Amino acid sequence: MNNSHQKDGLHSQLTDQFGRKISYLRLSVTDRCDLRCRYCMAEDMVFLPKHDVLSLEEMYTLSRAFIDRGVRRIRLTGGEPLVRKNILWLVKALGQEIENGRLDEVTLTTNGTQLPLLAQPLYDAGVRRINVSLDTLDPEQFEAISRRDKLQTVLDGITAAKAAGIKVKINTVAMKHFNEDEIPELVNWATNNNNDITLIETMPLGDVSDARENNYLPLTDVKTKLDQAFNLTPTLYRTGGPARYFEVGNTGARLGLITPLTNNFCDGCNRVRVTCTGRIYMCLGQDDHVDLRAALRSNDPEILLGQALDKAMGLKPRGHDFAMSNGRMIGKVNRHMSQTGG
Ligand code: SAM
Ligand code: SF4
């Protein structure tokens, strides 16, 4: 990058129209997955043709463009990031950016099925913290919700991650008629194993087989019950993400609550999401996006990517529109979470 580019502001901190600084990128590396969680995907999802998906080299170039503009943390997600072939190549490349002081963290959100094999190589590549999604500890319930019989593999994966030295946070989607009664046990299990745990309200993202309202569980109710069981103390701990955190009794573990429907959290939003086809979405709950792939594959990727990112900043909305209204979930978007990158 020469000086004239810098004068043009191509290296300036990404800042949206409301003055929020974007320091966190969630990069979806694939739309594919080895599970089919009912709230996330239909059983017969049609996946993208491979030629539409960015190569890992393109994802690295894109990541560096974000790092040049002030992004300090990158979370790889999907689909299931660890089913992307050669994913360790990208993790290692980003790990080098940490070593060079240009990035603070590379992390992942994963369903955990590949961790028995990949936990140690991930640690070696520079990963120190991951989120593992786990909605139940009951094998039959696990199969019912994910349509696959893989609970033990996930539990082995969590054990492997911790043995490798990676801190694990559990992500649990809270669902009525499914894990509502099991949530205290999940919190107990997580804290006994020295894992933080975050509960998430279901969001209206894409069509799935069940009406989302049927399983919607407001975390306001769950928190009241958990407070009685565990004595939750509010903390000021924030990761820059949407979760609000509580200390669980005197276990030293934290419980996070992500409440898109009962308590909008958008004011301090510092993140953007890029899909595996190179679309940047400024908000999980809005459809506005900019195509970064065209810029990336152009004759002048550096300039055009810079311009595309500036355009994207102008489109970042104040927040999502998810809400409950008269028993209906509103603010729906048509993309599944696995397409935008969770
Ligand atoms: N496959 C990885 C996993 O499951 O962790 C990463 C991608 S997944 C889309 C990321 C997160 O989104 C998971 O924690 C999952 O439970 C959550 N998720 C998926 N669909 C959701 C929805 N409609 N509402 C709330 N959370 C959802
Ligand atoms: Fe796959 Fe994650 Fe979606 Fe489950 S939540 S289907 S593991 S992408």
Side-chain angles (χ1 to χ4, degrees):
M1 173 72 64
N2 64 33
N3 286 339
S4 64
H5 288 169
Q6 291 185 355
K7 274 187 206 131
D8 288 339
L10 288 179
H11 272 183
S12 61
Q13 164 79 51
L14 290 173
T15 306
D16 77 1
Q17 53 180 325
F18 303 104
R20 293 174 298 193
K21 294 191 187 330
I22 305 304
S23 56
Y24 183 18
L25 167 65
R26 293 173 84 109
L27 176 59
S28 173
V29 296
T30 178
D31 63 330
R32 289 162 197 258
C33 186
D34 54 345
L35 303 184
R36 293 285 183 280
C37 302
R38 288 178 177 276
Y39 50 80
C40 176
M41 287 193 184
E43 170 66 276
D44 55 350
M45 287 288 285
V46 178
F47 294 111
L48 292 162
K50 290 211 168 118
H51 58 82
D52 278 354
V53 174
L54 298 184
S55 68
L56 292 175
E57 288 79 2
E58 287 174 323
M59 289 185 180
Y60 181 41
T61 304
L62 205 51
S63 301
R64 278 184 316 194
F66 277 97
I67 293 170
D68 285 344
R69 301 289 302 267
V71 160
R72 299 295 307 181
R73 290 168 62 208
I74 297 183
R75 177 176 296 274
L76 304 182
T77 179
E80 173 46 43
L82 295 181
V83 302
R84 173 82 197 243
K85 208 168 158 209
N86 288 334
I87 186 63
L88 283 173
W89 179 87
L90 179 61
V91 181
K92 276 185 204 156
L94 295 174
Q96 279 300 317
E97 298 288 334
I98 300 176
E99 289 215 343
N100 296 341
R102 282 170 31 90
L103 188 66
D104 292 334
E105 182 176 48
V106 56
T107 181
L108 296 105
T109 299
T110 171
N111 64 26
T113 60
Q114 309 300 313
L115 287 173
L117 275 180
L118 292 182
Q120 189 61 52
L122 285 171
Y123 180 90
D124 295 342
V127 174
R128 295 293 176 267
R129 224 163 51 104
I130 55 174
N131 290 353
V132 180
S133 302
L134 180 63
D135 301 321
T136 176
L137 293 167
D138 178 293
E140 282 175 20
Q141 290 276 77
F142 185 94
E143 189 170 351
I145 197 72
S146 70
R147 302 187 177 103
R148 300 291 184 270
D149 176 16
K150 292 209 175 164
L151 174 65
Q152 194 52 51
T153 315
V154 173
L155 295 177
D156 292 346
I158 292 171
T159 306
K162 297 185 67 162
I166 299 177
K167 187 151 176 53
V168 172
K169 178 166 79 69
I170 305 295
N171 273 356
T172 303
V173 178
M175 286 166 277
K176 218 181 219 356
H177 312 306
F178 176 67
N179 59 5
E180 181 173 9
D181 295 338
E182 200 192 340
I183 287 175
E185 192 188 329
L186 272 159
V187 172
N188 211 16
W189 172 83
T191 52
N192 282 343
N193 286 290
N194 203 18
N195 300 322
D196 290 347
I197 177 167
T198 292
L199 305 178
I200 308 170
E201 286 175 348
T202 333
M203 289 173 265
L205 302 168
D207 284 329
V208 287
S209 46
D210 313 315
R212 294 202 180 270
E213 289 82 1
N214 294 346
N215 293 107
Y216 169 61
L217 181 60
L219 287 180
T220 35
D221 298 357
V222 177
K223 181 181 171 276
T224 309
K225 284 189 198 146
L226 289 178
D227 216 358
Q228 285 158 2
F230 295 103
N231 188 19
L232 304 177
T233 314
T235 74
L236 292 176
Y237 176 76
R238 294 300 294 262
T239 59
R244 287 174 171 68
Y245 287 92
F246 301 84
E247 258 174 40
V248 183
N250 52 12
T251 61
R254 277 184 287 252
L255 168 72
L257 300 180
I258 300 188
T259 53
L261 283 100
T262 52
N263 186 359
N264 183 301
F265 45 62
C266 302
D267 279 357
C269 185
N270 64 353
R271 64 195 51 203
V272 290
R273 292 176 155 84
V274 173
T275 69
C276 60
T277 59
R279 279 184 174 186
I280 176 172
Y281 282 91
M282 276 57 69
C283 175
L284 189 59
Q286 302 283 355
D287 280 325
D288 283 340
H289 59 269
V290 174
D291 177 17
L292 301 180
R293 188 178 60 187
L296 197 56
R297 292 183 178 172
S298 71
N299 289 335
D300 198 350
E302 201 167 5
I303 295 284
L304 293 185
L305 261 181
Q307 290 172 352
L309 290 178
D310 286 338
K311 180 173 174 202
M313 288 305 103
L315 293 176
K316 190 165 165 65
R318 192 178 283 282
H320 65 72
D321 297 323
F322 305 140
M324 286 302 281
S325 172
N326 297 325
R328 310 293 308 160
M329 236 180 232
I330 57 170
K332 182 186 158 190
V333 295
N334 288 327
R335 305 180 316 273
H336 289 90
M337 182 76 125
S338 60
Q339 290 166 321
T340 320

